[in-house]
Amino acid sequence: MEQNEKRALAEAMRASAPKQAQPRISAEEMDRYPCSVRPVAVDVPGEEPVQVYLTVPFQVTPGAPIFVNYHGGGFIRGRSDRDELFCRRLACTFQCVVVDVDYALAPDYPFPTAVHQARAAALWAKAQAADLDCDPEKLILLGQSAGGNLVANVCMTEVDEAAVRPLAAVITYAPLDLKTDPVQKFHPERDMPAERARGYNALYCPADKAGDWRVSPLFAPADRLTAFPRTLVVTAGDDSLAPEGEEFALKLARAGVEVTCKRFAGCVHGFFINRMDAWEDGIALIHRYLRSVLQEAAR
């Protein structure tokens, strides 16, 4: 596929949205979680700078955690108002700073650009934490869909250099196996068509790289998984990515990682960011998990 054809396909896919997703977030909803949201360009060795959005509530508890969030979108769709609202809720609920990472998108920036940017953003958050009244030892990574894949990458590269040292990770309905043809995967009736999933995969990386563990963390060697912190893996029952997410959680457990895995039966891919199905229950679970991690760290 030529680059102009890839761009046309990406634009067509970006223009479509989940059929059941609620309308755009209103200003009133944003105002329920008052924060300053400031874009910052973070340098990335060998790549374009990555834009992050520093989300800061009006009151930050000294020694608060710092969260680094990676949005979803199949590696081709950028940060949305729903992602901003999710980060505002986190910031206000925990009185902490959230670094919302708006990594470069395929097909103009295919693999491995987003992988490199994801780690650079986490390292930047770690370095800036103290200046933001946050505790750098309480850095937590969160990622939805493609963002969950990037969280896995940040954790796996800790084997080479333990510089981020996250306290915990949250990986939600992530694509972790881009090697297997989506046609061969489990497909609930409400799931996206396999051809659409193929499109996402093809725009992110060529087929001959799909088995790379940085593209498909499900195939990472066991020693790569040992660097993970305690991890929450969330899957959606009506999502073809659920089995690979749950298999990945099992592999983490076998590698000695403390893992919590929760499947939301009857929910579709992207359910809590797109505010579908049991979306409030999904957000509540993540908040409870984060609270328990932080309470244990405070002992």
Side-chain angles (χ1 to χ4, degrees):
M1 191 184 302
E2 298 295 329
Q3 188 66 12
N4 62 337
E5 295 175 309
K6 290 181 179 179
R7 288 174 177 153
L9 175 59
E11 285 305 316
M13 294 177 72
R14 289 170 188 149
S16 61
K19 294 178 181 179
Q20 298 172 333
Q22 294 187 16
R24 287 182 59 84
I25 306 299
S26 67
E28 290 76 16
E29 286 181 280
M30 289 290 192
D31 289 344
R32 291 177 198 164
Y33 307 98
C35 293
S36 68
V37 181
R38 177 168 62 91
V40 178
V42 174
D43 288 336
V44 182
E47 298 280 4
E48 292 291 316
V50 60
Q51 181 109 307
V52 304
Y53 288 84
L54 204 56
T55 306
V56 184
F58 292 147
Q59 181 176 357
V60 175
T61 302
I66 185 165
F67 298 153
V68 184
N69 184 69
Y70 302 87
H71 64 75
F75 298 105
I76 69 166
R77 299 171 80 167
R79 172 180 176 272
S80 71
D81 57 352
R82 292 181 177 87
D83 299 304
E84 179 177 338
L85 181 63
F86 174 69
C87 291
R88 281 173 173 259
R89 283 184 73 169
L90 282 174
C92 289
T93 299
F94 293 92
Q95 292 187 316
C96 71
V97 174
V98 180
V99 177
D100 195 10
V101 184
D102 199 16
Y103 49 89
L105 304 176
D108 290 328
Y109 296 94
F111 169 81
T113 296
V115 170
H116 295 157
Q117 291 184 338
R119 183 163 178 82
L123 289 169
W124 180 87
K126 186 86 170 184
Q128 297 296 316
D131 289 342
L132 296 168
D133 287 333
C134 296
D135 184 344
E137 300 306 312
K138 296 178 184 175
L139 184 147
I140 298 178
L141 306 171
L142 304 97
Q144 306 83 48
S145 191
N149 179 296
L150 296 177
V151 166
N153 267 279
V154 174
C155 294
M156 290 187 295
T157 52
E158 286 288 282
V159 170
D160 303 316
E161 182 186 7
V164 178
R165 298 188 300 277
L167 178 63
V170 178
I171 296 174
T172 308
Y173 41 71
L176 300 168
D177 173 10
L178 279 70
K179 181 180 179 181
T180 302
D181 188 334
V183 171
Q184 299 175 1
K185 294 184 180 182
F186 154 76
H187 270 284
E189 184 177 344
R190 299 173 67 206
D191 192 34
M192 74 174 71
E195 283 301 321
R196 183 177 180 85
R198 273 180 171 171
Y200 283 126
N201 294 354
L203 292 171
Y204 181 55
C205 75
D208 62 351
K209 292 184 179 179
D212 187 311
W213 56 266
R214 296 171 299 167
V215 175
S216 297
L218 185 62
F219 302 114
D223 63 339
R224 285 281 167 193
L225 305 183
T226 60
F228 271 72
R230 59 189 296 181
T231 301
L232 171 64
V233 176
V234 178
T235 65
D238 287 346
D239 179 9
S240 62
L241 303 181
E244 63 204 65
E246 291 155 12
E247 185 178 351
F248 188 69
L250 183 59
K251 287 190 171 186
L252 287 175
R254 287 173 175 159
V257 178
E258 180 184 332
V259 182
T260 301
C261 185
K262 166 67 176 176
R263 174 187 284 208
F264 281 85
C267 292
V268 296
H269 184 82
F271 72 97
F272 80 77
I273 286 293
N274 290 318
R275 304 196 299 171
M276 301 157 67
D277 302 326
W279 67 276
E280 290 176 310
D281 293 338
I283 290 178
L285 170 69
I286 290 170
H287 284 199
R288 286 197 306 273
Y289 182 78
L290 295 173
R291 195 169 287 112
S292 70
V293 167
L294 294 169
Q295 287 172 348
E296 185 171 320
R299 291 173 188 166

